[in-house]
Amino acid sequence: MNLLKALWLFVLSLTSAAALSANIQVQAVSQHLHILSGKDYGTNIGLVETPNGLVLIDPMPGKAHLAELEKVIKEIHHKPITHILNTHAHDDHSGGNAFFTSQGVQLVVGESSIQGISHRVVKSHTTTDNIYYHKPSNTIFVGDVFDTSWHPTFYAGGVAGFNNAIDTVLRMGDEQSLVVPGHGAAKDKASLRKFRKNTLEWVDTIRLLSIQGLSVEQIMTNKKVIDLVERFNLSGKSPFLPQKAYQRFIERTIQVIEREHDSV
């Protein structure tokens, strides 16, 4: 890293620290891109400065913190927000839309002409998952197609949709691209590949145990299943999943497997 870049990143870190609020965390990725997240949902919010204006991706820090989010943004850029993009329609990502659109911010649905941001649509976490690539900062926002704070949730697209979504992300940018999940710490493409490998191994394991006739309760106590779940626990939480969430993860995986079997 050259001296000028090191100095710039130091200045960015100071800017981020100054903009921190009680409920919103700020990470400076580059001069033109920040990642913000709120305490309530931990949703990763993109703040992108473009030639077309200031763009927000998934502006939802929690309904009680929307005014606080707006204040933090003004501290960073001192200019109005012009556009909103959503990775998908779930409320923990799109729930802040109305707060900003009521002030005249444009919600972009479908294709956009925002300079520097390219867009792909996949089906994995939901029927319409939007992937956004900001070329100037080499950063990809993937929503809940990828989550580094929770287990994978590929229920709308099944295994095929999940694989296609990951392939789509891997084709964008380059090997140095920063991949921003819907929740949790941003990672690189190697981490995304590992996430896919673990997810596919999870599905194969649940499929095999289900074929063998094990009940959901029996699957929950299987050592390999327990070990596989722990691979998604990147922050080392204890416990990682509440029992109801763990059971639901297995049940919904079985539903995906059965749905795919029925469609053959």
Side-chain angles (χ1 to χ4, degrees):
M1 182 184 295
N2 61 45
L3 181 60
L4 183 60
K5 185 174 182 181
L7 179 61
W8 171 242
L9 290 175
F10 176 69
V11 171
L12 283 177
S13 69
L14 293 180
T15 302
S16 295
L20 284 176
S21 67
N23 298 293
I24 297 171
Q25 183 178 4
V26 180
Q27 176 189 351
V29 175
S30 74
Q31 179 183 2
H32 302 292
L33 189 142
H34 291 71
I35 301 171
L36 289 65
S37 61
K39 286 174 66 175
D40 285 4
Y41 296 118
T43 302
N44 285 319
I45 303 164
L47 174 61
V48 192
E49 187 178 26
T50 77
N52 301 100
L54 201 57
V55 179
L56 271 179
I57 302 175
D58 289 349
M60 189 49 175
K63 292 187 184 298
H65 308 307
L66 289 165
E68 194 172 353
L69 173 64
E70 183 181 31
K71 181 181 178 183
V72 168
I73 291 167
K74 288 179 178 177
E75 288 178 3
I76 295 171
H77 281 296
H78 310 288
K79 61 175 67 174
I81 303 151
T82 58
H83 300 82
I84 291 173
L85 301 172
N86 291 134
T87 58
H88 60 288
H90 288 169
D91 191 66
D92 59 329
H93 293 258
S94 65
N97 290 359
F99 176 86
F100 292 101
T101 57
S102 67
Q103 302 176 37
V105 179
Q106 179 187 353
L107 174 63
V108 180
V109 179
E111 290 298 321
S112 81
S113 57
I114 298 174
Q115 191 173 334
I117 298 179
S118 57
H119 171 224
R120 298 288 184 273
V121 179
V122 296
K123 178 181 177 181
S124 180
H125 176 68
T126 71
T127 55
T128 305
D129 292 316
N130 299 295
I131 311 296
Y132 296 106
Y133 173 54
H134 181 241
K135 185 174 182 179
S137 66
N138 199 16
T139 303
I140 311 170
F141 286 84
V142 302
D144 288 352
V145 166
F146 180 37
D147 192 324
T148 60
S149 71
W150 196 243
H151 63 72
T153 52
F154 47 88
Y155 309 130
V159 175
F162 171 75
N163 266 321
N164 177 64
I166 301 301
D167 283 338
T168 299
V169 175
L170 291 173
R171 286 193 296 268
M172 301 174 84
D174 57 32
E175 202 57 31
Q176 285 69 50
S177 296
L178 184 69
V179 182
V180 182
H183 309 265
K187 297 289 183 180
D188 57 15
K189 286 188 174 179
S191 298
L192 182 64
R193 291 188 184 94
K194 188 174 182 180
F195 177 79
R196 168 157 67 179
K197 178 179 180 294
N198 290 335
T199 300
L200 296 180
E201 189 171 347
W202 165 267
V203 173
D204 287 345
T205 300
I206 299 301
R207 179 186 288 113
L208 179 60
L209 294 176
S210 183
I211 289 172
Q212 291 175 353
L214 274 68
S215 67
V216 170
E217 291 73 20
Q218 289 171 321
I219 293 173
M220 289 175 69
T221 61
N222 181 274
K223 185 180 184 306
K224 184 173 182 181
V225 172
I226 293 169
D227 290 344
L228 279 169
V229 168
E230 195 59 29
R231 292 186 193 176
F232 301 109
N233 185 13
L234 301 185
S235 60
K237 295 179 191 172
S238 182
F240 173 45
L241 298 179
Q243 282 297 103
K244 286 186 178 180
Y246 178 36
Q247 179 177 334
R248 186 63 174 150
F249 182 26
I250 294 170
E251 290 172 343
R252 296 199 71 178
T253 301
I254 292 171
Q255 289 172 4
V256 166
I257 292 166
E258 290 176 343
R259 188 168 66 238
E260 292 183 345
H261 180 266
D262 292 341
S263 66
V264 174

